[in-house]
Amino acid sequence: NNLGRQQNQSGGRFAALKGKLPWPLKGSLLVGFGTQKNPEFGTLYESRGVEISASKGTNMRAVASGKVVFASWFKGYGNLLIVAHDGGYHTLYAQADRMLKDLGDRVEAGEPVAQTGLPGSQGGYFEIRHNGAPVNPLIWLERK
């Protein structure tokens, strides 16, 4: 049908959720997206996602349904879980102490996928990528 074709061309169901995704963690924003200034050293760095404050053991939840395509340690991210969505979108959940899902698992929106608590982190890290390029998650997440 025409509706299905139009959805696929514009990125599918995930693309339709822009501005409506639930936050993966309840907590305040520690680090935003884009160019950031290190408060301790005053140096600039690029953030490809957002860091959200949370106490150890807080569930990080999938923001949309999809399939786990990566669940392992990754340099610079710590324990990293990546969920693939339609339309070339991926969501990344990092700085996890524990992963609750395995490679190949299907996940539903709101389902816990990992727990915070990686030593040295103050919460969880979240990214959205489209065709491999990071996009600003704050445009995608519902306003607090």
Side-chain angles (χ1 to χ4, degrees):
N1 67 28
N2 282 341
L3 182 62
R5 252 192 312 262
Q6 284 173 340
Q7 262 192 337
N8 289 342
Q9 288 170 349
S10 66
R13 291 180 305 278
F14 190 86
L17 298 172
K18 191 170 188 175
K20 300 176 191 149
L21 291 174
W23 284 66
L25 280 164
K26 288 184 177 15
S28 58
L29 190 65
L30 290 173
V31 177
F33 178 81
T35 304
Q36 304 291 316
K37 190 173 192 174
N38 181 307
E40 195 176 341
F41 305 112
T43 52
L44 297 179
Y45 66 96
E46 285 299 310
S47 174
R48 286 176 270 198
V50 293
E51 198 170 331
I52 302 163
S53 69
S55 56
K56 182 178 169 73
T58 300
N59 283 337
M60 297 178 75
R61 297 177 183 278
V63 297
S65 60
K67 183 179 180 182
V68 177
V69 294
F70 187 88
S72 189
W73 176 266
F74 196 82
K75 187 178 166 123
Y77 286 85
N79 288 319
L80 170 65
L81 189 129
I82 302 175
V83 177
H85 309 280
D86 64 342
Y89 289 94
H90 291 86
T91 50
L92 289 71
Y93 308 82
Q95 298 177 353
D97 179 48
R98 257 182 81 213
M99 288 186 273
L100 305 175
K101 297 293 175 184
D102 293 315
L103 186 64
D105 285 353
R106 298 264 336 141
V107 296
E108 295 303 319
E111 195 173 347
V113 294
Q115 288 182 335
T116 60
L118 184 73
S121 70
Q122 299 174 3
Y125 178 81
F126 176 71
E127 266 184 38
I128 298 176
R129 291 188 173 226
H130 185 234
N131 296 328
V135 297
N136 186 348
L138 298 175
I139 295 169
W140 287 80
L141 298 171
E142 59 192 5
R143 290 204 175 273
K144 282 192 168 189

